[in-house]
Amino acid sequence: MALSVADLDRAVAFYRCVFGVREYFRNETTVQVLGPGQFDVLAFEKRSAEAGTPGGIIHFGFRLTRPEDIDMAVAAVEDAGGTVTSRGEFAPGLPYAFVRDPDGYEIEIWFE
């Protein structure tokens, strides 16, 4: 997945803090990162005018491996400059949070 962002360093810092991504490629306009899953790749493209615009994608998500990690994930989002837009449970023991990164992209963090 590639996201248009206003600031490459800010985007990398947010996703590193919240999801533990690791940078593996960078040039003047692009940064690519690995993680959090074994085969996940995210690319950040410096395109300030397009940053945060949905372009047909409503949100994307990352699944927790343990339901008790939801509090830690929400705290990491807030510490990294993101915001929580909603939080709850889909059913008892199945927590979720919808959050926004600093560019405004909506991310679902959940356990099921």
Side-chain angles (χ1 to χ4, degrees):
M1 175 171 35
L3 300 175
S4 296
V5 300
D7 183 305
L8 291 170
D9 291 331
R10 181 182 72 180
V12 171
F14 176 84
Y15 285 86
R16 181 185 306 121
C17 179
V18 178
F19 301 108
V21 302
R22 298 174 328 276
E23 183 177 325
Y24 76 96
F25 173 82
R26 179 186 285 255
N27 65 23
E28 300 78 35
T29 60
T30 303
V31 176
Q32 293 184 7
V33 298
L34 299 172
Q38 181 178 0
F39 303 107
D40 296 336
V41 175
L42 292 172
F44 303 111
E45 301 282 337
K46 185 170 172 121
R47 297 180 184 189
S48 298
E50 300 165 9
T53 59
I57 295 173
I58 298 167
H59 72 269
F60 59 95
F62 294 100
R63 186 182 306 181
L64 297 168
T65 56
R66 301 176 330 148
E68 59 269 19
D69 291 339
I70 192 74
D71 292 331
M72 183 177 63
V74 166
V77 166
E78 294 173 330
D79 290 346
T83 57
V84 177
T85 57
S86 69
R87 184 174 175 182
E89 289 186 314
F90 290 121
L94 302 177
Y96 73 87
F98 283 91
V99 303
R100 291 201 181 273
D101 75 5
D103 284 296
Y105 291 107
E106 187 170 50
I107 306 163
E108 180 181 8
I109 303 171
W110 85 101
F111 175 82
E112 65 179 17

